[in-house]
Amino acid sequence: MDHPSPLRLLLVGCGQIARVHLGQLTQNPQWSLSAVVDPDPRHRQALIANHPHSPGDFDSLAQALPALSVDAALICTPTHLHFEQVMQLWDAGIPVLCEKPLVDTRERLVDILAQVPRRPPLMIAYQRRQSAVFREARELVRTGRLGQLKSISLVNTEHWAQTIAGTWRDDPRQNPGGFPGDAGSHKLDMLFFLTGLRPERVLSRCQTLDWNVPVSTQAIIEFEEAVVGNLSFTGNAHQYYEEFRLHGTDADLVIRPTELLLARANRMEPVSIPGTDSNPTEAFADFLRGKTSNPAPPQVALDVRDLTDAILASAAKGCTIEM
């Protein structure tokens, strides 16, 4: 059986998240890393030093694009750079996989969405959409196994703030959403992915503590169909923890990154997870080859953007925000 040639990838940005993606890319025969782009040569060399195929390295997209022929690009740069980089790659006719958040303002997001129908494919790297646990949880919720959904709770703690001093993540001009807008973006996306519900009202409190951006955030969200959500984000914790709890008239569902539990009549039982986990780069390759639809199209970013903005606005104004 013939195997298709690997897709040639341009990796834009050589920081921490790029290293995560590169580890996945090197295990996936669907991809071949053609080149990396980063303004800091030390970052470029550190990323590709042990790569078996000696990819090219460039300090800018303007330098790289005329010299390369690639099938796709992966953007792993700070959020405020995403918009211009997506536009440069689109103008070159290159499909894009972009790290979250997609862009830094709603206006730029609306601009991107208006161009989507006539531009190359664009996917967001929301990795929980490739999680077998979250896919099965969505199936249980959407097929009515919980009965009528009544409430949602989310607890997310992370050793995040302690790592951001002197970086773009601690700059309110570049990362106004702080912890919930950056690392928490994946979890906000899961609220929509799991339930399909629209938020109607938001009341929140954000604290910057010893940093310049929101680190601790608590929010109460009233969704349509009278479903209430309680969200807790703690970005200066000493360990990572993440748990969703969805409460329905017939059952409760507890979702952790590697575990799914169904509760009835005060008894909790593990749920068997069919299938296996994927990751954004594998899903993007499958999408480009026509094997699947886009699992994280740019349209989903608008829901996350609007909810993030409402959480920040409620905290700033000290009142409930109508969505």
Side-chain angles (χ1 to χ4, degrees):
M1 180 178 179
D2 292 335
H3 294 280
S5 299
L7 296 164
R8 299 162 298 175
L9 183 74
L10 173 62
L11 179 56
V12 185
C14 296
Q16 180 179 354
I17 193 62
R19 291 192 290 273
V20 174
H21 286 297
L22 184 59
Q24 296 167 350
L25 287 165
T26 55
Q27 302 298 316
N28 190 335
Q30 295 193 91
W31 289 109
S32 172
L33 182 63
S34 293
V36 299
V37 172
D38 195 285
D40 191 326
R42 296 169 300 175
H43 292 170
R44 300 197 303 266
Q45 291 306 314
L47 188 70
I48 65 176
N50 297 317
H51 195 275
H53 303 304
S54 299
D57 65 289
F58 301 88
D59 61 17
S60 68
L61 276 176
Q63 182 188 61
L65 291 175
L68 294 172
S69 178
V70 296
D71 300 301
L74 168 57
I75 295 177
C76 297
T77 55
T79 305
H80 69 286
L81 300 176
H82 289 179
F83 179 81
E84 294 298 336
Q85 291 168 342
V86 168
M87 292 300 157
Q88 285 180 275
L89 292 161
W90 268 358
D91 288 345
I94 298 172
V96 178
L97 172 62
C98 186
E99 260 299 330
K100 55 73 197 165
L102 180 55
V103 288
D104 55 343
T105 69
R106 193 181 197 278
E107 291 74 19
R108 285 180 161 183
L109 179 54
V110 170
D111 190 350
I112 281 181
L113 294 179
Q115 298 187 49
V116 163
R118 62 181 187 275
R119 291 290 204 164
L122 173 62
M123 175 180 152
I124 308 171
Y126 277 136
Q127 79 266 22
R128 279 165 184 74
R129 288 174 174 253
Q130 286 81 56
S131 160
V133 167
F134 281 95
R135 292 198 305 267
E136 180 63 14
R138 173 188 166 104
E139 181 70 12
L140 293 174
V141 174
R142 298 293 185 101
T143 56
R145 289 285 299 278
L146 307 188
Q148 184 179 355
L149 193 61
K150 289 297 185 181
S151 66
I152 306 165
S153 62
L154 163 64
V155 176
N156 179 206
T157 70
E158 193 169 332
H159 188 265
W160 178 87
Q162 297 92 325
T163 69
I164 67 172
T167 73
W168 66 271
R169 285 186 166 89
D170 197 30
D171 184 344
R173 296 167 300 176
Q174 300 181 43
N175 184 30
F179 177 58
D182 178 39
S185 177
H186 293 288
K187 291 79 176 181
L188 296 181
D189 176 57
M190 282 299 96
L191 293 176
F192 298 102
F193 178 77
L194 291 167
T195 71
L197 296 174
R198 300 295 174 189
E200 295 180 339
R201 297 172 194 84
V202 176
L203 178 63
S204 67
R205 184 186 182 196
C206 297
Q207 294 176 289
T208 57
L209 303 177
D210 296 325
W211 290 268
N212 299 311
V213 297
V215 169
S216 175
T217 296
Q218 317 300 317
I220 300 172
I221 302 174
E222 296 180 34
F223 291 90
E224 60 185 340
E225 300 180 13
V227 176
V228 177
N230 291 279
L231 313 184
S232 176
F233 293 98
T234 303
N236 63 330
H238 294 280
Q239 68 173 24
Y240 184 89
Y241 185 76
E242 175 186 329
E243 181 178 280
F244 289 81
R245 286 180 176 258
L246 283 72
H247 306 280
T249 54
D250 296 339
D252 296 342
L253 190 63
V254 179
I255 312 167
R256 298 169 185 150
T258 60
E259 185 178 31
L260 194 58
L261 303 167
L262 194 66
R264 295 190 188 92
N266 213 30
R267 294 180 59 186
M268 190 173 291
E269 298 179 353
V271 176
S272 176
I273 308 299
T276 58
D277 289 344
S278 179
N279 59 65
T281 53
E282 182 176 0
F284 191 46
D286 289 342
F287 166 50
L288 293 181
R289 293 191 187 279
K291 298 179 182 179
T292 65
S293 59
N294 190 340
Q299 289 81 359
V300 304
L302 190 58
D303 292 329
V304 176
R305 174 88 252 169
D306 286 344
L307 180 53
T308 303
D309 287 349
I311 290 171
L312 297 175
S314 173
K317 297 178 181 179
C319 64
T320 298
I321 298 295
E322 299 282 340
M323 295 287 291

